[in-house]
Amino acid sequence: MKKNLFVFCLVVLNLFSLNARAKTSVYTIKSLAEYQSAETKAIAGDTILWASGTYHDVVWVVAKDGISVKAERPGAVIFSGSSKVEIKANGTIFSGFQFIGGKADGDVCKISGSHNVVEQLNVSEYHSNYYFNIAASGRH
């Protein structure tokens, strides 16, 4: 009897888990305006994918907690010119981008949020204050 109850509880928990995962959204974007629109709609667990390509003079802020901001294919999204990003959000995954051959006022990537994962990034031939600057308010 207890074994059947245990199995029933596992099945119910898995159904709730599948339902929660099914509600996440993926937004594929090609411009700063599209990014801002997607971030406004996004909820924690959603992913915003920058479409592969080269983007010039993109100055943006990741401000929504709990989202993933990634390149459609790691390394295939290149920012240049005066492009730079600030991650003010918490619990963000930021992954797969290149910043190549540009000049940014301040830092290329400033992180002031906490509990973020920043991975698979390349900054090359960029003139800036710092490539990566983790603010004192940013933790983990």
Side-chain angles (χ1 to χ4, degrees):
M1 180 71 162
K2 286 186 179 183
K3 184 176 179 182
N4 289 341
L5 181 60
F6 178 74
V7 170
F8 175 76
C9 289
L10 282 177
V11 169
V12 170
L13 286 174
N14 280 332
L15 288 175
F16 283 122
S17 171
L18 289 173
N19 189 32
R21 279 186 246 137
K23 292 185 180 183
T24 62
S25 297
V26 176
Y27 303 91
T28 301
I29 53 99
K30 296 179 181 178
S31 69
L32 179 59
E34 288 180 15
Y35 173 83
Q36 292 167 331
S37 175
E39 188 183 78
T40 300
K41 296 178 215 170
I43 60 171
D46 287 354
T47 300
I48 300 174
L49 295 177
W50 280 85
S52 298
T54 300
Y55 301 90
H56 302 283
D57 304 328
V58 177
V59 178
W60 49 304
V61 175
V62 177
K64 180 77 62 125
D65 292 343
I67 64 171
S68 295
V69 180
K70 299 180 177 185
E72 182 177 46
R73 286 184 307 126
V77 175
I78 299 169
F79 293 101
S80 65
S82 61
S83 296
K84 63 182 182 176
V85 63
E86 181 173 359
I87 302 171
K88 291 184 174 182
N90 300 309
T92 300
I93 297 172
F94 187 79
S95 178
F97 301 106
Q98 295 195 70
F99 291 82
I100 298 177
K103 181 177 183 181
D105 292 333
D107 308 314
V108 177
C109 181
K110 182 175 182 179
I111 304 166
S112 57
S114 296
H115 302 282
N116 294 309
V117 175
V118 178
E119 61 187 6
Q120 298 180 343
L121 300 181
N122 175 46
V123 181
S124 179
E125 299 176 22
Y126 232 79
H127 299 281
S128 63
N129 187 29
Y130 291 105
Y131 283 173
F132 299 96
N133 182 358
I134 301 173
S137 60
R139 304 243 189 274
H140 311 287

Coordinates of all heavy atoms in Angstrom, one line a residue, residues 27 29 32-43 46 48 60-65 67 69 86 88-89 92:
Y27 N 12.9 33.3 -27.0 CA 12.7 34.5 -27.9 C 14.0 34.6 -28.7 O 15.1 34.7 -28.1 CB 12.5 35.8 -27.1 CG 11.3 35.7 -26.2 CD1 11.5 35.3 -24.8 CD2 10.0 36.1 -26.6 CE1 10.4 35.3 -24.0 CE2 9.0 36.1 -25.7 CZ 9.1 35.7 -24.4 OH 8.1 35.7 -23.5
I29 N 16.0 36.9 -31.2 CA 16.0 38.3 -31.6 C 17.1 38.7 -32.5 O 18.1 38.0 -32.5 CB 15.9 39.2 -30.3 CG1 17.1 38.9 -29.3 CG2 14.6 39.0 -29.5 CD1 18.2 39.8 -29.4
L32 N 18.5 45.4 -30.8 CA 18.4 45.9 -29.4 C 16.9 46.1 -29.1 O 16.4 45.7 -28.0 CB 19.2 47.1 -29.2 CG 19.1 47.8 -27.8 CD1 19.5 46.8 -26.7 CD2 19.9 49.0 -27.7
A33 N 16.1 46.6 -30.0 CA 14.7 46.9 -29.8 C 14.0 45.5 -29.6 O 13.1 45.4 -28.7 CB 14.1 47.6 -31.0
E34 N 14.3 44.5 -30.3 CA 13.7 43.2 -30.1 C 14.1 42.6 -28.8 O 13.3 42.0 -28.1 CB 14.1 42.2 -31.3 CG 13.4 42.6 -32.6 CD 13.8 41.6 -33.7 OE1 14.4 40.5 -33.4 OE2 13.6 41.9 -34.9
Y35 N 15.4 42.8 -28.4 CA 15.8 42.4 -27.1 C 15.0 43.0 -26.0 O 14.5 42.3 -25.1 CB 17.3 42.6 -26.8 CG 17.7 42.3 -25.4 CD1 18.0 41.0 -25.1 CD2 17.6 43.2 -24.4 CE1 18.3 40.6 -23.8 CE2 17.9 42.8 -23.1 CZ 18.2 41.5 -22.8 OH 18.4 41.2 -21.5
Q36 N 14.9 44.3 -26.0 CA 14.1 45.0 -25.0 C 12.7 44.5 -24.9 O 12.1 44.3 -23.8 CB 14.2 46.5 -25.2 CG 15.6 47.0 -25.0 CD 15.8 48.4 -25.5 OE1 15.2 48.9 -26.5 NE2 16.8 49.2 -24.9
S37 N 12.1 44.3 -26.1 CA 10.7 43.8 -26.1 C 10.6 42.4 -25.5 O 9.7 42.1 -24.7 CB 10.2 43.8 -27.5 OG 8.9 43.2 -27.6
A38 N 11.6 41.5 -25.8 CA 11.6 40.1 -25.3 C 11.8 40.1 -23.8 O 11.2 39.4 -23.1 CB 12.7 39.3 -26.0
E39 N 12.7 41.0 -23.4 CA 13.0 41.0 -21.9 C 11.8 41.5 -21.1 O 11.5 41.0 -20.1 CB 14.2 41.9 -21.6 CG 14.6 41.8 -20.1 CD 15.7 42.7 -19.8 OE1 15.5 43.9 -19.6 OE2 16.9 42.2 -19.6
T40 N 11.0 42.4 -21.7 CA 9.8 42.9 -21.0 C 8.8 41.7 -20.9 O 8.2 41.6 -19.8 CB 9.2 44.0 -21.9 OG1 10.1 45.1 -21.9 CG2 7.9 44.5 -21.2
K41 N 8.7 40.9 -21.9 CA 7.8 39.7 -21.8 C 8.3 38.6 -21.0 O 7.5 37.8 -20.5 CB 7.5 39.2 -23.3 CG 6.8 40.2 -24.2 CD 6.6 39.6 -25.5 CE 6.8 40.7 -26.6 NZ 6.9 40.1 -27.9
A42 N 9.6 38.4 -21.0 CA 10.2 37.2 -20.4 C 9.9 37.1 -18.9 O 9.8 38.1 -18.2 CB 11.7 37.2 -20.6
I43 N 9.9 35.8 -18.4 CA 9.8 35.5 -17.0 C 11.0 34.6 -16.6 O 11.6 34.1 -17.5 CB 8.4 34.9 -16.6 CG1 8.3 33.5 -17.4 CG2 7.3 35.8 -16.9 CD1 7.1 32.7 -16.9
D46 N 12.9 31.8 -18.8 CA 12.9 32.0 -20.2 C 14.3 32.3 -20.8 O 15.2 32.6 -20.1 CB 12.0 33.2 -20.6 CG 10.5 32.9 -20.4 OD1 10.2 31.7 -20.1 OD2 9.7 33.8 -20.6
I48 N 16.5 34.2 -24.0 CA 16.5 35.1 -25.1 C 17.8 34.8 -25.9 O 18.9 34.8 -25.4 CB 16.6 36.6 -24.7 CG1 15.3 36.9 -23.8 CG2 16.7 37.5 -25.9 CD1 15.3 38.3 -23.2
W60 N 23.5 47.8 -24.1 CA 22.3 47.2 -23.5 C 22.5 46.8 -22.0 O 23.6 46.6 -21.6 CB 21.8 46.1 -24.3 CG 22.7 45.0 -24.8 CD1 23.9 45.2 -25.5 CD2 22.6 43.6 -24.5 NE1 24.5 44.0 -25.7 CE2 23.8 43.0 -25.1 CE3 21.7 42.8 -23.9 CZ2 24.0 41.6 -25.1 CZ3 21.9 41.4 -23.9 CH2 23.0 40.9 -24.5
V61 N 21.4 46.6 -21.4 CA 21.3 46.2 -20.0 C 20.4 45.0 -19.8 O 19.3 45.0 -20.4 CB 20.8 47.4 -19.1 CG1 20.6 46.9 -17.7 CG2 21.6 48.6 -19.2
V62 N 21.0 44.0 -19.1 CA 20.2 42.8 -18.8 C 19.6 43.1 -17.4 O 20.4 43.2 -16.4 CB 21.0 41.5 -18.8 CG1 20.2 40.3 -18.4 CG2 21.6 41.3 -20.2
A63 N 18.3 43.3 -17.3 CA 17.7 43.7 -16.0 C 16.7 42.8 -15.5 O 16.2 43.0 -14.4 CB 17.1 45.1 -16.2
K64 N 16.3 41.7 -16.2 CA 15.3 40.8 -15.8 C 15.9 39.6 -15.0 O 16.8 38.9 -15.6 CB 14.5 40.3 -17.0 CG 13.4 39.3 -16.7 CD 12.1 40.0 -16.1 CE 11.4 41.0 -16.9 NZ 10.1 40.8 -17.3
D65 N 15.5 39.4 -13.8 CA 16.1 38.3 -13.0 C 15.7 36.9 -13.6 O 14.6 36.8 -14.0 CB 15.6 38.4 -11.5 CG 16.1 39.6 -10.8 OD1 17.1 40.2 -11.2 OD2 15.6 39.9 -9.7
I67 N 16.6 35.0 -16.2 CA 16.5 34.7 -17.6 C 17.9 34.2 -18.1 O 18.9 34.5 -17.5 CB 16.0 35.8 -18.5 CG1 16.9 37.0 -18.5 CG2 14.5 36.1 -18.0 CD1 16.5 38.1 -19.5
V69 N 20.4 34.7 -21.4 CA 20.7 35.5 -22.6 C 21.8 34.8 -23.2 O 23.0 34.8 -22.7 CB 21.0 37.0 -22.2 CG1 21.2 37.8 -23.4 CG2 19.8 37.6 -21.4
E86 N 25.7 45.6 -19.6 CA 25.7 45.6 -18.1 C 24.6 44.6 -17.7 O 23.5 44.6 -18.1 CB 25.4 47.0 -17.5 CG 25.4 46.9 -16.0 CD 25.3 48.3 -15.4 OE1 25.2 49.3 -16.1 OE2 25.4 48.3 -14.1
K88 N 22.6 43.8 -14.7 CA 22.1 44.2 -13.4 C 21.2 43.2 -12.7 O 20.9 43.3 -11.5 CB 21.3 45.5 -13.6 CG 22.1 46.7 -14.0 CD 21.2 48.0 -14.0 CE 22.0 49.2 -14.3 NZ 21.2 50.4 -14.3
A89 N 20.8 42.2 -13.4 CA 19.9 41.2 -13.0 C 20.6 40.2 -12.1 O 21.8 40.1 -12.1 CB 19.2 40.5 -14.1
T92 N 21.1 35.3 -13.7 CA 21.1 35.3 -15.1 C 22.2 34.4 -15.7 O 23.3 34.2 -15.1 CB 21.4 36.7 -15.6 OG1 20.4 37.6 -15.1 CG2 21.5 36.8 -17.1

